Amino acid sequence: MADTDTPADAGTEFDYDLFVIGAGSGGVRASRIAAAHGARVAVAEEYRVGGTCVIRGCVPKKMLVYGAMFAEELGHPENYGWTIEGKTFDWPTLRDFVKKDVDRLEGLYGNTLANNKVEVFAERATIAGPNAVKLASGREVTAGKILVATGCWPAMPDFPGVEHCITSNEMFHLAEQPRRLMVVGGGYIAMEFAGVFNALGSEVTLVNRTDRILRSYDEQIVDRMLAIAMGRGIQMRMHSLIQSVEKDADGCLHVDLGETDKVVVDQVLIAIGRQPNTAGLGLENAGIQPGPKGEIPVDEYNRTTCESIFAVGDVTDRVQLTPVAIREGHAFADTQFGNKPRTVDYSSIPSAVFSQPPIAGVGLTEKQAREQYGAVKVYSSDFRPMKNIFSPHAERGLYKMIVEETSEKILGIHMIGPEAPEILQVAAVALKAGLTKQAFDDTVALHPSMAEELVLLR
């Protein structure tokens, strides 16, 4: 059973009942809820309140995706009856609009902490002991409980010239749009940025060390997305590794992929994954041994091997998703300060890749379902969305539902097509509720819509 000492039980021998290191989504939620339960809370953030998602991740990236979607629509305005003369794209305008909204959101996060009387230290903090935190200013404070919510940081490979490459952190601050962009990686970050800058007019080359991308998604859906991406002009260089990068006097990058000719680009984005942000955190001062990837091992109640120190979010390397970090932070605060012990259910978590077009999925992929259940049924709809009729790209959507053979209980739902993530969110509720395909069959279609394909699967 989790230790659920309230602030009153913990006494007042410490400066704070809770000290949170990291003001990202998980840390802010934990701070707010703990304070609402009556705890004396402080949080330290060395960069900006809001963390990866708000400052340099999913929020600004989704705004760039919207910009890319508009670019796609603007590519064929005549089919909508519009004549637009002199249309041009200005990267600094989009970049600065996104940065302005990030500033707005950071302010809202700061207001949330202030309104809940959470003290914020705008500096780096490290663990000095089981109940002690040292701030970059040199001050040391004590807390009954310490929560680590420092998230992840982009991983970088080791090759000559890697210092000329950038990560997703820097993509939002580019002085100018790269005319030629190389993206290295096969995960969602790589595919999203490749799609954005391809739509905005950059020549994009994607380099991956294997022939598989987006490994956690259904293979058939991914194959469809790859075909569409190549049809839109993204060059795929599979089974390739960068050997070196050289920068010439004009600022161009010459990338050696181990082949005869080097690839010349203006920017190289490294997007090969993210690693827990624990370097120099002082875990050893509390007897905590990080895992092989640098992650902080925790139990189901987010407690580390040190009974007074906890961790939530990406730094634990359980599920690297913002909504998961938020739930973990909330569950931690309720458990430790609200006398409401609870854990997070990690099953059937929906996720999406905001590629061009986007893909989304929840539950088991077809391959996973066959491995776990043996006999399964797959229902699908392969169709051309009405919206795509206006486009010169003959792109088709694909929806899949995987069910257990006998009961037809839904095991997984996977989609590619316009607005797929928006549609999947509701479908994920059905899977989580344990519904069968019959529940979809019994539902009248909403016509004409892409979502209706979910109740017309055959």
Side-chain angles (χ1 to χ4, degrees):
M1 188 65 169
D3 176 6
T4 58
D5 285 343
T6 63
D9 295 327
T12 58
E13 67 271 23
F14 300 113
D15 297 322
Y16 301 98
D17 301 308
L18 172 65
F19 196 101
V20 180
I21 303 178
S25 298
V28 168
R29 176 60 65 90
S31 299
R32 177 173 71 82
I33 300 302
H37 287 314
R40 297 169 299 137
V41 183
V43 58
E45 173 54 57
E46 63 179 312
Y47 182 50
R48 299 177 68 180
V49 173
T52 294
C53 181
V54 172
I55 304 300
R56 52 184 174 268
C58 40
V59 170
K61 185 172 55 183
K62 183 67 178 292
M63 295 184 72
L64 293 184
V65 168
Y66 282 129
M69 291 169 62
F70 183 78
E72 166 65 17
E73 297 290 312
L74 200 58
H76 45 270
E78 64 282 354
N79 292 336
Y80 293 104
W82 288 91
T83 299
I84 303 176
E85 299 178 356
K87 55 185 179 182
T88 60
F89 173 67
D90 183 62
W91 162 254
T93 299
L94 174 60
R95 178 200 64 200
D96 292 347
F97 182 88
V98 172
K99 288 169 65 176
K100 182 179 179 180
D101 202 61
V102 166
D103 292 342
R104 179 185 67 84
L105 292 172
E106 181 187 16
L108 293 178
Y109 269 64
N111 291 340
T112 294
L113 293 173
N115 292 340
N116 284 275
K117 296 181 173 55
V118 175
E119 186 171 358
V120 178
F121 294 93
E123 55 185 307
R124 179 174 173 79
T126 57
I127 296 171
N131 297 99
V133 172
K134 186 173 183 179
L135 300 172
S137 59
R139 177 183 174 185
E140 188 168 300
V141 297
T142 60
K145 292 179 172 66
I146 298 171
L147 176 67
V148 179
T150 50
C152 277
W153 201 252
M156 290 293 283
D158 183 18
F159 56 76
V162 70
E163 67 274 11
H164 302 309
C165 305
I166 63 174
T167 71
S168 57
N169 290 351
E170 293 78 48
M171 290 298 289
F172 304 103
H173 306 283
L174 294 175
E176 58 185 32
Q177 178 186 354
R179 184 169 60 87
R180 299 159 299 182
L181 173 67
M182 177 176 287
V183 180
V184 181
Y188 71 95
I189 295 175
M191 296 311 303
E192 288 173 344
F193 276 114
V196 164
F197 280 90
N198 168 255
L200 295 179
S202 299
E203 296 177 11
V204 178
T205 301
L206 186 129
V207 175
N208 192 39
R209 62 186 178 86
T210 70
D211 63 353
R212 289 297 304 164
I213 64 170
L214 302 173
R215 292 179 177 274
S216 63
Y217 289 87
D218 187 87
E219 291 184 13
Q220 189 178 4
I221 298 293
V222 173
D223 288 344
R224 175 67 59 86
M225 191 270 288
L226 271 175
I228 293 175
M230 288 188 287
R232 291 193 177 197
I234 296 178
Q235 301 178 50
M236 301 291 178
R237 304 287 288 266
M238 301 301 185
H239 294 292
S240 295
L241 281 174
I242 292 182
Q243 305 301 311
S244 65
V245 175
E246 296 178 356
K247 188 173 185 177
D248 66 21
D250 295 331
C252 295
L253 302 179
H254 297 253
V255 184
D256 182 3
L257 295 175
E259 302 171 2
T260 304
D261 297 323
K262 293 183 178 180
V263 181
V264 182
V265 297
D266 302 298
Q267 199 68 256
V268 176
L269 165 63
I270 304 294
I272 59 172
R274 299 174 64 82
Q275 56 193 23
N277 196 12
T278 55
L281 190 58
L283 295 174
E284 67 280 2
N285 295 326
I288 300 172
Q289 179 64 42
K293 298 179 182 179
E295 75 275 14
I296 300 179
V298 293
D299 65 15
E300 61 181 332
Y301 289 100
N302 303 293
R303 191 193 300 272
T304 69
T305 53
C306 177
E307 65 176 12
S308 57
I309 298 181
F310 303 76
V312 298
D314 292 359
V315 75
T316 67
D317 199 36
R318 288 176 288 188
V319 179
Q320 292 187 17
L321 290 173
T322 296
V324 174
I326 291 173
R327 289 206 170 205
E328 289 173 350
H330 201 134
F332 157 79
D334 280 349
T335 299
Q336 300 302 325
F337 298 99
N339 287 318
K340 297 186 290 186
R342 63 188 186 88
T343 59
V344 174
D345 179 6
Y346 295 96
S347 64
S348 303
I349 298 173
S351 63
V353 180
F354 295 98
S355 48
Q356 311 286 321
I359 69 177
V362 62
L364 301 178
T365 64
E366 181 179 345
K367 181 179 180 181
Q368 292 169 337
R370 293 191 186 282
E371 290 173 348
Q372 293 186 33
Y373 288 84
V376 299
K377 292 180 182 178
V378 179
Y379 295 93
S380 65
S381 177
D382 190 330
F383 63 101
R384 188 177 185 187
M386 184 182 295
K387 181 179 181 181
N388 287 358
I389 294 174
F390 289 92
S391 171
H393 303 299
E395 297 172 357
R396 299 182 65 82
L398 176 62
Y399 293 0
K400 292 179 63 175
M401 179 184 290
I402 298 98
V403 303
E404 196 274 325
E405 185 177 55
T406 304
S407 67
E408 291 214 333
K409 178 181 177 180
I410 302 170
L411 303 176
I413 300 174
H414 308 276
M415 332 167 62
I416 179 171
E419 309 299 341
E422 308 292 344
I423 297 169
L424 183 90
Q425 179 66 83
V426 176
V429 175
L431 186 144
K432 193 72 173 178
L435 300 184
T436 66
K437 183 177 183 297
Q438 190 62 48
F440 280 73
D441 294 341
D442 292 341
T443 303
V444 175
L446 194 163
H447 180 75
S449 71
M450 292 177 288
E452 71 176 313
E453 299 297 331
L454 283 173
V455 301
L456 302 174
L457 296 170
R458 295 292 182 263

